[in-house]
C-alpha cells in the first residue's frame, strides 16, 4: 500500500509517482490533490494534474492536514508518530514520536506556527513547527477512584474534578481558535475540553453529548464552538459566557454519526455524517439551509471555498465532490485517484487540495 497525493488542474492531466522506500502502510496512506481556481469554476473541468506518493509510514494513516499556506502536509499514523512532508516535492521533513499510542488526528494552528496531535494515549501534544519540538502535553492527572451516585459505579476520581483534569479516553478531534490562542479537544469520554495554548491549562469543560465526539470547529469570530458527536447531534457552544454552565444550541437532522464540521468565513456551518449527507446550517437560527446528497459512503471531510460559494467533500471512498452551496447541486465529481480521501482543503487562491489513501 502506498500513500498518494494528487493535484487537479482544469487544463491538463499529469502524474508523478515516487516508489515507496519502506515496507507498506498496512492498510492506508495519505496523499494530496489540488484543482483549479473556484472563482472561475466551470463544471466538467476538474482533471488530475499531479500524483505524489508518501510511503514511509509504519502503520495505517488515520488523519492528514495541510498547513495554512498549503506548503506542508501533516499525517497522523497508527505507528504513534506524526509526519511532516513538503507538499510539492513529497520530501519527508520530520517523523515525530512521543505519543504512546496510535495518533488519531492532527491539525495546524491558523497562524501556521503550531500543530496539534491527538492519540489513543488520551493526550494532545502541541508542537512548534519551526523547531519541530513538543511544547506541551495536554493530559489528565490520575487521582484515584470515587463512587459516582448517578451511575452507581466506581469512576476515575478526576472525572468528578473535571475542571482539573484532561481526557480519560482516546482523543479523536482537536481544533484551534482563529487567533490560535485556544484549543478544543474531544473524544471517547464524551467531553469537550477547552485549553489555553500558551500555558497548556484547562479553561473549561463542555459536557452534554451522549456519545463520542469526533469533530469540532471554532466560528470565525471565536464566539462559538461547534462539536459533532456519534449521538447524531451538533452542539453550538456559546463561549462568551463566563459562567460554569455554558449555553448551547443543538442542531438535529442527521440520522447518523457526525463525522466532520466546517465553518465558512461568513459563519455558516457544514456538517458531514455517516448518513452519507452534508447539511449546511445557519447556526444562529438553527436553520437547515440545504442538504447535499450524493456520496455512496459516509462523509469524512468537508471544506468551504474562500468565497463560501462552494463546498468540497470527501467520502470514505475514492469519491471527492464539489457542490454549489446556493443550489445544493454537485458541480464536480472526482473518482478513481484515491481509495480513501482523508482530508480536503482550499488554498487561499481557490485551489482544492485532497489527501487520502491509494494502493
Amino acid at each position: 500500500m502506498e500513500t498518494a497525493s494528487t493535484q487537479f488542474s482544469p487544463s491538463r492531466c499529469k502524474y508523478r509517482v515516487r516508489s515507496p522506500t519502506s515496507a507498506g502502510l498496512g492498510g492506508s496512506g495519505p496523499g494530496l490533490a489540488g484543482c483549479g481556481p473556484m472563482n472561475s469554476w466551470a463544471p466538467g473541468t476538474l482533471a488530475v494534474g499531479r500524483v505524489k506518493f508518501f510511503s514511509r509510514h509504519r502503520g495505517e494513516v488515520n488523519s492528514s492536514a495541510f498547513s495554512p499556506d498549503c506548503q506542508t502536509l501533516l499525517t497522523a499514523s497508527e505507528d504513534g508518530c506524526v509526519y511532516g512532508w513538503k507538499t510539492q516535492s513529497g520530501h519527508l521533513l520530520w517523523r515525530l514520536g512521543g505519543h504512546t499510542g496510535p495518533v488519531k488526528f492532527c491539525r495546524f494552528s491558523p497562524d501556521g506556527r503550531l500543530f496539534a496531535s491527538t492519540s489513543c494515549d488520551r493526550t494532545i501534544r502541541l508542537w512548534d513547527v519551526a523547531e519541530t519540538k513538543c511544547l506541551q502535553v495536554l493530559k489528565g492527572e490520575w487521582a484515584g477512584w470515587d463512587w459516582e451516585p448517578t451511575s452507581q459505579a466506581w469512576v476515575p476520581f478526576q472525572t468528578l474534578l473535571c475542571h482539573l483534569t484532561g481526557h480519560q479516553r482516546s482523543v479523536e478531534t482537536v481544533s484551534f481558535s482563529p487567533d490560535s490562542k485556544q484549543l478544543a479537544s474531544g473524544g471517547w469520554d464524551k467531553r469537550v475540553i477547552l485549553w489555553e495554548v500558551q500555558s497548556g491549562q484547562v479553561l473549561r469543560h463542555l459536557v452534554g453529548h451522549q456519545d463520542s465526539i469526533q469533530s469540532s470547529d471554532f466560528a470565525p469570530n471565536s464566539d462559538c464552538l461547534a462539536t459533532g458527536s456519534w449521538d447524531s447531534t451538533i452542539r453550538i457552544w456559546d463561549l462568551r459566557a463566563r459562567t460554569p454552565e455554558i449555553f448551547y444550541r443543538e442542531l438535529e437532522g442527521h440520522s447518523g454519526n457526525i463525522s466532520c464540521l466546517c465553518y465558512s468565513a461568513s459563519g455558516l456551518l457544514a456538517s458531514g455524517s455517516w448518513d452519507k449527507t452534508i447539511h449546511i446550517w445557519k447556526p444562529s437560527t438553527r436553520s437547515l439551509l440545504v442538504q447535499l446528497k450524493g456520496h455512496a459512503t459516509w462523509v469524512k471531510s468537508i471544506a468551504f471555498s474562500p468565497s463560501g460559494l462552494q463546498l468540497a467533500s470527501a467520502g470514505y471512498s475514492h469519491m471527492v465532490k464539489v457542490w454549489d452551496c446556493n443550489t445544493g447541486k454537485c458541480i464536480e465529481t472526482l473518482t478513481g485517484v484515491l481509495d480513501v480521501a482523508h482530508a480536503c482543503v482550499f488554498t487561499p487562491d481557490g485551489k482544492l487540495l485532497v489527501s487520502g489513501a491509494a494502493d
Side-chain angles (χ1 to χ4, degrees), residues 173-193:
T173 180
V174 69
S175 55
F176 285 90
S177 60
D179 61 8
S180 301
K181 293 181 179 180
Q182 294 185 36
L183 187 78
S185 60
W188 280 99
D189 60 7
K190 309 175 188 177
R191 291 186 293 160
V192 180
I193 301 179

Side-chain angles (χ1 to χ4, degrees), residues 1 27 44 46-47 60 63 69 75 104 107 152 168 174 181 196 224 231 252 271 296 302 315 323 336 344 346:
M1 190 73 66
L46 191 65
E60 286 193 31
S63 172
D69 62 6
T75 56
K104 301 294 291 182
R107 181 171 284 183
Q152 292 292 294
Q168 294 305 295
V174 69
K181 293 181 179 180
E196 183 181 56
C224 296
D231 63 14
E252 296 182 291
S271 58
I302 49 180
W323 309 82
C344 54
F346 284 92

